[in-house]
């Protein structure tokens, strides 16, 4: 039950591709691949007093750019892919065929444990179809992953 | 047990007459509120200072009126308990939703019902449903010592779901206590951090944001220690966490910090653990790890290497030629020269991966660069054409808690120009280059308040040195990474001022270069120094110089160091020094150190000193 909820919330799985980005405009979905420093927390802040700037968050919405974080108790329609720095890690893991980011992505999509190795290998083989350009955004990556999954007999059930 | 119980009841009967709060006792066998107010769990739930730190003695640490139901709650645990009983008892009380752990406590002590107690608390129940609650993990991002602000490390908590082994920890929750900072650029930043003028809050974020923050961006290794909290203890922890939402503490860098607050959470989960019984001036994260290990909270440990360590491991697996190729590929991702194509597919893949990691390493802390992004995806595209392979695992260093204690006391004896002396030394914290390296980062030193008192043959007791701060960071350069080493130190020391020994106040710093080859670390520093002593004609005497030296991290944790240093002051005087140090551990917390140095000033004036000390480490 919990897993299904998570899956839906994390990847906006049932969202139709033309729908407006959830969480408001500019809510991380526009994050480009290799976002760099702008997408990551400030260095000095993070160290001496282990601080955060702005408000401390108490839900799980933090880490996205410009998201509406009212109702901080859920992922608030924001996607794992749209969280800071995640897109780059997923791209790396897809290119090498495994990794923690890829595992987290499969979990958030609700991919069952027995399908995960297959999921990893299908994404690995389709790297070029998913990461079509260095200018690609989180939202486009999600669409491409859905397209790849929908063409696989085993994984089609996990696509939107 | 039965005897204690009946004693309690008879006491209750007697006390009920004396104290009005007894009339509120809920059931005949319920303990009276005056007793309950002193209960370890109640005190833990209120974050009561029972003498653990300097400030807020016999008060709650919480600096937020919203946390208290009684106007006297911050200073009176009994009044707060009475107000809580009154507020939480009604079945539909909204305050139950605000304080589920307090309700749990009262239900347990006063026999209140737990079933359906939170049915009306939609927000709390929705949140509670989401919190992973199978396991709590203590996380220690170790210091990255080329970055001074990370110096003592940090601790946070991770909450895992049941299938964390298969699903990985990326989606686990990180529970972090940190300051909320509004003026990062301000010069007051450090002062405010020390003086507690930043508010501290608990926050929860996905654990992968913490991995990125520490392991990827700051290049700090992370140590993860699963804790043995059982289901019941996890409930206490999580329910109490909810009570801390948007609750303000004051953040003090030294004692009331991230690590101290985590110990408090552990006391809520498992009262009477004795984690907070001792008084402390500081709560150093690595000592927090030790405390929890000694109190039997920790089951095992897991090492998560930083990106820098991963890159170093990858680089070490390549030949010199392949490393050169990787650098070339990072600049020209489409390079197809024969020196690349003749490699085996596995070697090609590893070289491409090194090229990609190198490129990202150089870009990660910068603003997005379109050119670098284009190269990055080209490398990934090429990489994706190869079959998946098992990655080389980085060598796992000794865990931080296996290192020596961070406080140090030493007794030494020696001779200065043939005249004997005895010396006592105390270091408040943390580690120097020569101390046993196990559990610490090699080539990194942070010392604060190093004090040396010397007794000489003339029966004089003199302050030889008061090193307020002494930080040195050897960040070694290799084929891929070219970091700048640096050092800074300041305080009081006896030195040859204008050709005669005197105690001068100084501040010294400089950038440097260092390399590593099989445990040997040669280095060089440029030095800038300002010095104050009445013997100088100017109030502040500036100087500049250069240092050359080498450290050798030998087998069995022996450390050898040799250095030469020249310093020239604005007005003609100069100082040269050659020094040799050998440190030999004789037990986990003990070492012997041999030192020799020769100093010269002016032409033909100089002296020699040799000494030996016994160093005892503790925490």
């Amino acid at each position: 039950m919990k897993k299904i909820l998570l899956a839906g919330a994390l990847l906006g799985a049932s969202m139709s591709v033309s729908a407006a980005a959830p969480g408001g405009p500019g809510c991380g979905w526009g994050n480009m691949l290799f976002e760099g420093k702008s997408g990551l927390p400030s260095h000095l802040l993070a160290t001496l007093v282990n601080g955060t700037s702005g408000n401390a968050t108490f839900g799980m919405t933090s880490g996205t750019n410009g998201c509406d974080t009212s109702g901080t108790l859920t992922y608030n329609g924001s996607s794992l892919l749209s969280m800071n720095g995640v897109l780059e890690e997923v791209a790396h893991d897809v290119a090498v065929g495994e990794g923690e980011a890829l595992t987290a992505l499969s979990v958030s999509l609700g991919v069952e444990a027995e399908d995960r190795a297959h999921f990893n290998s299908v994404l690995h083989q389709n790297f070029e179809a998913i990461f079509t350009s260095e200018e690609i955004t989180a939202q486009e990556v999600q669409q491409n992953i859905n397209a790849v999954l929908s063409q696989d007999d085993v994984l089609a059930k996990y696509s939107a | 047990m039965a005897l204690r119980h009946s004693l309690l009841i008879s006491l209750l009967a007697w006390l009920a007459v004396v104290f009005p709060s007894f009339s509120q006792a809920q059931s005949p066998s319920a303990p009276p509120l005056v007793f309950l107010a002193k209960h370890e769990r109640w005190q833990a739930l209120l974050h009561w200072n029972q003498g653990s730190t300097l400030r807020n003695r016999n008060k709650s640490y919480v600096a937020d009126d919203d946390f208290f139901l009684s106007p006297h709650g911050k200073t009176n645990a009994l009044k707060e308990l009475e107000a809580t009983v009154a507020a939480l008892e009604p079945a539909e009380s909204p305050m139950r939703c605000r304080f589920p752990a307090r309700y749990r406590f009262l239900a347990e002590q006063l026999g209140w019902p737990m079933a359906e107690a939170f049915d009306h608390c939609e927000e709390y129940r929705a949140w509670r449903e989401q919190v992973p609650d199978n396991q709590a993990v203590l996380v220690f991002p170790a210091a990255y010592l080329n970055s001074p602000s990370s110096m003592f490390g940090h601790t946070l908590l991770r909450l895992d779901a049941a299938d964390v082994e298969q699903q990985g920890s990326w989606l686990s929750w990180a529970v972090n206590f940190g300051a909320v900072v509004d003026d990062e650029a301000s010069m007051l930043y450090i002062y405010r951090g020390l003086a507690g003028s930043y508010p501290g809050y608990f926050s929860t974020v996905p654990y992968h944001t913490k991995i990125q923050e520490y392991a990827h961006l700051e290049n700090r290794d992370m140590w993860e220690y699963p804790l043995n909290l059982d289901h019941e203890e996890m409930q206490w922890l999580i329910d109490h966490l909810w009570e801390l939402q948007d609750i303000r503490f004051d953040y003090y860098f030294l004692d009331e910090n991230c690590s101290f607050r985590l110990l408090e959470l552990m006391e809520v989960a498992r009262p009477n653990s004795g984690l907070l019984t001792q008084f402390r001036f500081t709560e150093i994260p690595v000592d927090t790890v030790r405390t929890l290990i000694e109190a039997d909270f920790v089951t095992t440990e897991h090492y998560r290497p930083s990106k820098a360590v991963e890159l170093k491991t990858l680089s070490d697996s390549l030949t010199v030629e392949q490393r050169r190729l990787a650098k070339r590929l990072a600049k020209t991702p489409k390079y197809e020269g024969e020196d690349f194509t003749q490699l085996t597919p596995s070697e090609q893949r590893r070289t491409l991966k090194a090229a990609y990691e190198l490129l990202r390493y150089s870009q990660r802390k910068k603003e997005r660069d379109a050119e670098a992004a284009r190269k990055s995806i080209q490398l990934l595209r090429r990489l994706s054409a190869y079959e998946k392979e098992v990655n080389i695992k980085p060598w796992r260093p000794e865990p931080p808690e296996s290192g020596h204690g961070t406080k140090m006391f030493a007794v030494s004896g020696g001779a200065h120009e043939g005249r004997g002396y005895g010396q006592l030394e105390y270091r408040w914290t943390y580690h120097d280059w020569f101390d046993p390296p196990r559990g610490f980062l090699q080539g990194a030193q942070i010392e604060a308040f190093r004090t040396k008192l010397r007794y000489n043959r003339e029966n004089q007791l003199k302050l030889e040195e008061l090193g307020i701060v002494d930080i040195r960071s050897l960040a070694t350069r290799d084929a891929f990474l070219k970091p700048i080493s640096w050092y800074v130190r300041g305080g009081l020391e006896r030195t040859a001022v204008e050709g005669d020994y005197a105690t001068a106040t100084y501040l010294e710093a400089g950038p440097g270069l260092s390399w590593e080859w099989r445990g040997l670390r040669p280095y060089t520093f440029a030095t800038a120094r300002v010095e104050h002593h009445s013997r100088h004609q100017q109030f502040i005497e500036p100087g500049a110089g250069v240092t050359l030296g080498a450290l050798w991290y030998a087998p069995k944790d022996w450390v050898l160091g040799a250095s030469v240093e020249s310093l020239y002051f604005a007005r003609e005087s100069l100082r040269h020094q050659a020094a040799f140090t050998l440190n030999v551990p004789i037990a986990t917390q003990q070492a012997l150190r041999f030192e020799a140095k020769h100093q010269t000033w002016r032409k033909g004036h100089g002296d020699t000193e040799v000494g030996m000390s016994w160093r005892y480490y503790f925490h």
Side-chain angles (χ1 to χ4, degrees):
Chain A
M1 179 59 200
K2 205 151 141 187
K3 191 186 276 176
I4 295 163
L5 260 174
L6 253 180
L10 274 176
L11 213 79
S14 58
M15 209 69 65
S16 82
V17 287
S18 59
C27 178
W29 287 93
N31 267 1
M32 259 187 284
L33 187 55
F34 308 119
E35 197 66 50
K37 184 184 164 192
S38 61
L40 289 159
S42 145
H43 178 73
L44 188 61
L45 268 180
T47 47
L48 182 63
V49 288
N50 309 302
T52 49
S53 65
N55 296 323
T57 54
F58 210 77
M60 294 297 286
T61 36
S62 101
T64 51
N65 289 339
C67 270
D68 169 16
T69 53
S70 60
T72 51
L73 299 175
T74 68
Y75 272 89
N76 202 28
S78 105
S79 134
L80 177 68
L81 290 175
S82 73
M83 290 182 159
N84 295 330
V86 172
L87 203 53
E88 175 174 338
E89 294 296 320
V90 169
H92 167 270
D93 287 3
V94 171
V96 301
E98 64 176 352
E100 285 188 284
L102 198 52
T103 305
L105 179 68
S106 67
V107 171
S108 76
L109 278 169
V111 176
E112 298 292 338
E114 63 268 22
D115 290 336
R116 269 184 217 145
H118 183 59
F119 175 85
N120 287 0
S121 115
V122 166
L123 262 57
H124 179 209
Q125 284 155 20
N126 286 283
F127 179 87
E128 300 211 28
I130 296 166
F131 294 93
T132 48
S133 131
E134 74 273 16
E135 305 287 319
I136 199 165
T137 64
Q139 193 173 11
E140 290 162 342
V141 169
Q142 190 215 323
Q143 292 163 14
N144 293 345
I145 289 177
N146 275 335
V148 166
L149 295 183
S150 66
Q151 280 165 28
D152 185 274
D153 292 345
V154 181
L155 302 175
K157 62 185 173 200
Y158 303 118
S159 75
Chain B
M1 192 65 200
L3 180 69
R4 225 171 84 191
H5 206 70
S6 59
L7 261 175
L8 254 170
I9 292 169
S10 51
L11 259 172
L12 182 154
W14 175 74
L15 285 165
V17 188
V18 187
F19 295 97
S21 53
F22 273 78
S23 54
Q24 287 190 20
Q26 302 295 302
S27 65
S29 63
L33 295 191
V34 269
F35 284 177
L36 277 190
K38 294 215 180 298
H39 194 286
E40 305 78 22
R41 180 100 70 190
W42 181 247
Q43 304 232 325
L45 285 170
L46 292 186
H47 293 257
W48 210 255
N49 181 355
Q50 303 168 52
S52 312
T53 63
L54 218 51
R55 289 170 297 269
N56 290 311
R57 284 291 183 89
N58 294 315
K59 281 187 218 169
S60 168
Y61 285 112
V62 176
D64 196 323
D65 290 342
D66 288 348
F67 188 70
F68 302 104
L69 294 168
S70 156
H72 309 289
K74 181 164 167 86
T75 52
N76 190 325
L78 174 60
K79 287 229 160 68
E80 184 61 19
L81 181 62
E82 290 167 354
T84 305
V85 168
L88 267 52
E89 193 170 14
E92 294 285 303
S93 159
M95 276 303 152
R96 281 190 193 181
C97 313
R98 190 62 199 81
F99 296 106
R102 290 193 194 183
Y103 183 86
R104 182 183 285 277
F105 172 75
L106 292 175
E108 192 179 87
Q109 297 296 329
L110 305 177
W112 291 3
M114 270 309 279
E116 295 165 15
F118 302 111
D119 278 8
H120 59 297
C121 303
E122 270 177 45
E123 216 186 337
Y124 158 70
R125 280 176 34 224
W127 178 82
R128 185 63 193 80
E129 174 73 13
Q130 284 197 16
V131 187
D133 60 359
N134 189 58
Q135 170 178 265
V137 179
L138 173 72
V139 179
F140 177 76
Y144 179 51
L145 280 143
N146 217 20
S147 142
S149 49
S150 75
M151 56 189 187
F152 294 116
H154 174 42
T155 48
L156 58 140
L157 213 57
R158 191 180 87 201
L159 302 177
D160 289 342
D163 32 18
V164 70
E165 296 293 324
Q166 286 79 45
Q167 305 201 344
S169 56
W170 263 48
L171 299 173
S172 293
W173 286 31
V175 176
N176 188 64
F177 179 72
V180 174
V181 178
D182 46 15
D183 60 341
E184 192 192 348
S186 157
M187 286 299 286
L188 290 173
Y189 181 69
I190 290 174
Y191 167 77
R192 288 191 65 187
L194 292 170
S197 80
Y198 285 123
Y201 289 92
F202 278 94
S203 63
T204 61
V205 292
Y207 185 58
H208 67 79
T209 63
K210 291 291 162 189
I211 296 175
Q212 276 167 31
E213 188 175 332
Y214 296 117
H216 297 187
L217 198 64
E218 295 190 0
N219 291 303
R220 295 159 73 167
D221 289 350
M222 295 171 85
W223 292 85
E224 299 164 341
Y225 305 87
L227 305 177
N228 56 13
L229 297 183
D230 63 23
H231 180 72
E232 186 73 14
E233 291 166 333
M234 289 297 294
Q235 303 299 317
W236 282 108
L237 177 68
I238 291 167
D239 279 350
H240 181 59
L241 199 58
W242 175 256
E243 297 179 343
L244 297 176
Q245 175 171 18
D246 299 328
I247 291 299
R248 183 199 155 125
F249 293 82
D250 291 329
Y251 194 99
Y252 291 88
F253 175 65
L254 290 178
D255 55 357
E256 294 175 40
N257 56 18
C258 57
S259 295
F260 183 76
R261 293 273 101 87
L262 285 198
L263 289 180
E264 287 191 320
L265 287 188
M266 291 303 118
E267 279 285 343
V268 168
R270 192 181 289 172
N272 280 326
S273 300
L275 302 174
L276 300 171
T277 45
Q278 272 184 333
F279 173 76
R280 80 267 344 252
F281 279 110
T282 55
E283 183 62 45
I284 294 177
V286 67
D287 291 336
T288 309
V289 175
R290 288 200 182 101
T291 303
L292 286 171
I293 289 173
E294 282 159 16
D296 290 327
F297 275 79
V298 174
T299 54
T300 170
E301 69 200 4
H302 174 249
Y303 170 61
R304 179 186 289 279
S306 71
K307 283 278 187 197
V309 168
E310 284 179 349
L311 180 55
K312 179 86 169 59
T313 309
L314 192 57
S315 161
D316 288 347
S317 77
L318 302 180
T319 64
V320 175
E321 183 60 18
Q322 289 163 358
R323 259 174 245 161
R324 200 188 51 75
L325 257 176
K327 279 163 81 174
R328 179 160 193 169
L329 283 161
K331 288 197 184 79
T332 323
K334 293 190 167 166
Y335 179 74
E336 292 271 11
E338 200 179 315
D339 47 352
F340 180 78
T341 50
Q342 68 174 14
L343 298 176
T344 68
S346 174
E347 287 169 338
Q348 291 180 2
R349 180 183 184 276
R350 216 182 308 152
T351 308
L352 279 166
K353 186 153 159 44
Y356 174 77
E357 295 294 350
L358 177 61
L359 182 59
R360 294 320 301 160
Y361 185 88
S362 67
Q363 291 296 317
R364 209 166 273 127
K365 288 186 188 174
K366 296 182 184 159
E367 295 295 333
R368 189 177 194 277
D369 176 278
E371 178 69 10
R374 193 177 53 78
K375 289 177 178 171
S376 301
I377 199 159
Q378 284 170 351
L379 286 168
L380 283 187
R381 220 170 262 154
R382 285 189 81 171
L383 200 50
S384 72
Y386 293 83
E387 287 298 306
K388 183 178 101 172
E389 271 183 37
V390 180
N391 287 326
I392 312 144
K393 281 255 176 340
W395 173 76
R396 181 180 176 281
E398 296 288 344
E401 75 278 3
S402 69
H404 64 74
T406 55
K407 292 186 173 66
M408 193 275 301
F409 173 77
V411 185
S412 33
H416 183 91
E417 278 298 273
R419 305 175 71 82
Y421 69 83
Q423 182 172 285
L424 294 180
E425 180 178 351
Y426 172 77
R427 177 182 71 203
W428 181 51
T429 194
Y430 186 76
H431 174 75
D432 81 6
W433 271 353
F434 308 102
D435 285 326
R438 165 191 290 255
F440 289 85
L441 210 56
Q442 291 188 0
Q445 153 169 339
I446 287 175
E447 286 193 299
F449 297 103
R450 180 182 64 213
T451 314
K452 291 179 183 171
L453 281 176
R454 184 174 287 197
Y455 192 72
N456 64 19
R457 283 278 289 276
E458 288 77 37
N459 297 338
Q460 295 166 310
L461 188 66
K462 290 211 160 136
L463 178 69
E464 182 69 15
E465 189 187 346
L466 173 62
I468 291 173
V469 65
D470 190 345
I471 303 176
R472 299 170 201 223
S473 173
L474 291 186
T476 55
R477 299 162 77 85
D478 58 31
F480 284 167
L481 309 180
K482 312 282 181 202
I484 299 292
S485 301
W486 59 274
Y487 84 103
V488 57
R489 61 193 203 96
L492 299 168
E493 67 180 1
R494 273 177 70 75
T495 184
V497 180
E498 308 283 323
D500 219 345
Y501 271 91
T503 306
T505 312
Y506 70 95
L507 180 66
E508 197 179 303
L513 304 174
S514 79
W515 300 265
E516 203 239 320
W517 183 75
R518 297 189 177 187
L520 187 70
R521 286 170 189 248
Y523 62 88
T524 177
F525 283 114
T527 296
R529 178 176 171 114
V530 287
E531 191 172 285
H532 165 74
H533 187 271
S534 54
R535 201 170 287 160
H536 287 307
Q537 286 181 2
Q538 291 169 295
F539 185 75
I540 297 281
E541 177 77 7
V546 66
T547 305
L548 289 172
L551 291 178
W552 183 39
Y553 288 95
K556 296 188 174 174
D557 281 350
W558 286 39
V559 185
L560 255 109
S563 64
V564 288
E565 186 184 333
S566 287
L567 200 58
Y568 299 87
F569 286 93
R571 291 174 322 101
E572 288 179 48
S573 68
L574 56 85
R575 261 172 234 160
H576 300 303
Q577 178 175 298
F580 169 85
T581 307
L582 168 64
N583 199 82
V584 180
I586 51 176
T588 324
Q589 302 293 4
Q590 291 177 57
L592 290 179
R593 181 171 293 190
F594 305 89
E595 286 171 292
K597 66 179 176 190
H598 180 73
Q599 286 195 78
T600 47
W601 59 92
R602 288 198 205 123
K603 287 189 190 84
H605 290 74
D607 61 12
T608 304
E609 181 176 312
V610 291
M612 179 184 144
S613 54
W614 170 75
R615 295 163 78 84
Y616 174 70
Y617 307 93
F618 57 103
H619 72 265

